[in-house]
Amino acid sequence: MVDWKRGARRVLYPAYERRVLRRMPDNLPKHVGVMLDGNRRWAKAVGRDTAHGHRAGAANIEPLLTWCEEIGIEVVTLWLLSTDNLHRPAKELEQLLEIIEDAVDSLADQRRWRLNPVGALDLLPDGTASRLKTAAEATSEVEGMIVNVAVGYGGRREIADAVRSLLHEHAAKGTSLEELAQIIDVEHIADHLYTKGQPDPDLVIRTSGEQRLGGFLLWQSAKSEFYFCEAYWPDFRRVDFLRAIRAYALRERRFGS
């Protein structure tokens, strides 16, 4: 019965995907943020260890980026490791960082996308931070889609870093605190975020059934639409992605007006 169902899906899903694409509205997102959640629970469900779940999740990154590229998305932000994840058991964290490093290297080697590390790189092991920076340098001239690789990322930390950077900038200029308090506004802080110069995410997708942001792009997602998918990240399929995009495109976005 299981094999029969799998065979039916292989036949039916491509036809369904083509149907969804044909009926897709024009107002597609420019920037999509993705919370790649559920690797560990997926591994437990299939009777494998945690590292296997992380490797399966890493293998699903390139397909996702291909799907985004196919419909013309300009920026994708992938949350691969949070600042909270840095407190996981040492063995698991070491394995996870190695998997992330290999995945980012693989993406960089293709020269298809411009990789941009976002996060508190100073919290990461030197080797991990170095490989992320090398991937960014290697793809800096690529004209394709921008892919923000969020490793050691936390939304609160990002805002704190932005304010700290802003204070350092104005201290170097000799601006007093009183003068800074008079001129500081939302744009000043936004100019110091990890994603400065990029459009804010139009759509944020989270897999695994969890319905919370967990600190992902807290500042940038103020006007984002959200899509929560029940599938664990390793099981996230093209049809799930297209459903998320269609749900976004069919929403009437009013922004409080």
Side-chain angles (χ1 to χ4, degrees):
M1 178 63 74
V2 173
D3 290 340
W4 178 85
K5 287 183 178 179
R6 288 175 179 170
R9 290 192 188 104
R10 283 196 294 267
V11 173
L12 296 176
Y13 275 135
Y16 177 68
E17 290 168 0
R18 289 193 294 270
R19 181 183 177 190
V20 172
L21 276 172
R22 284 197 304 269
R23 298 185 176 184
M24 191 73 71
D26 293 331
N27 55 317
L28 301 180
K30 293 182 179 180
H31 181 174
V32 175
V34 187
M35 305 172 70
L36 287 60
D37 194 22
N39 291 340
R40 294 195 296 178
R41 280 170 285 168
W42 179 87
K44 184 177 181 180
V46 300
R48 301 294 296 272
D49 62 15
T50 297
H52 179 76
H54 291 315
R55 283 191 290 269
N60 207 24
I61 293 173
E62 183 181 338
L64 170 72
L65 297 181
T66 300
W67 306 332
C68 292
E69 195 173 46
E70 286 174 349
I71 64 171
I73 290 173
E74 299 173 6
V75 183
V76 179
T77 299
L78 306 171
W79 199 8
L80 303 184
L81 185 79
S82 72
T83 50
D84 290 339
N85 295 155
L86 294 173
H87 302 295
R88 287 183 177 179
K91 182 178 179 181
E92 179 187 347
L93 180 59
E94 182 179 349
Q95 291 175 327
L96 177 52
L97 288 171
E98 182 177 351
I99 291 167
I100 289 172
E101 291 165 5
D102 290 343
V104 172
D105 285 349
S106 177
L107 296 177
D109 288 343
Q110 297 183 50
R111 301 297 192 271
R112 291 173 62 186
W113 306 297
R114 191 169 3 137
L115 303 184
N116 178 44
V118 296
L121 298 187
D122 58 301
L123 297 181
L124 302 176
D126 291 342
T128 301
S130 177
R131 288 175 72 172
L132 291 174
K133 293 174 183 176
T134 297
E137 292 168 1
T139 60
S140 62
E141 301 300 322
V142 174
E143 296 183 358
M145 186 171 65
I146 296 172
V147 178
N148 295 318
V149 182
V151 181
Y153 176 88
R156 290 178 175 177
R157 173 64 186 248
E158 178 180 22
I159 295 169
D161 282 349
V163 173
R164 187 179 300 109
S165 174
L166 176 66
L167 291 173
H168 282 309
E169 177 186 281
H170 281 274
K173 294 178 180 178
T175 308
S176 69
L177 286 178
E178 291 77 10
E179 291 171 326
L180 183 56
Q182 291 295 321
I183 64 173
I184 192 170
D185 58 18
V186 169
E187 285 71 26
H188 281 97
I189 296 175
D191 286 343
H192 291 266
L193 295 172
Y194 301 148
T195 59
K196 58 183 178 293
Q198 299 179 9
D200 288 340
D202 304 293
L203 171 66
V204 174
I205 300 170
R206 181 167 187 166
T207 58
S208 86
E210 299 292 345
Q211 298 189 24
R212 62 179 186 274
L213 271 179
F216 184 52
L217 299 176
L218 289 179
W219 182 283
Q220 299 92 326
S221 65
K223 295 183 179 179
S224 300
E225 301 291 338
F226 299 94
Y227 185 88
F228 300 104
C229 178
E230 292 295 323
Y232 294 139
W233 169 246
D235 283 335
F236 188 75
R237 305 157 299 176
R238 184 169 182 257
V239 67
D240 299 312
F241 170 74
L242 293 176
R243 285 169 176 162
I245 298 299
R246 182 179 62 181
Y248 166 86
L250 291 175
R251 291 174 184 168
E252 182 181 355
R253 309 187 76 202
R254 295 184 294 273
F255 303 119
S257 61

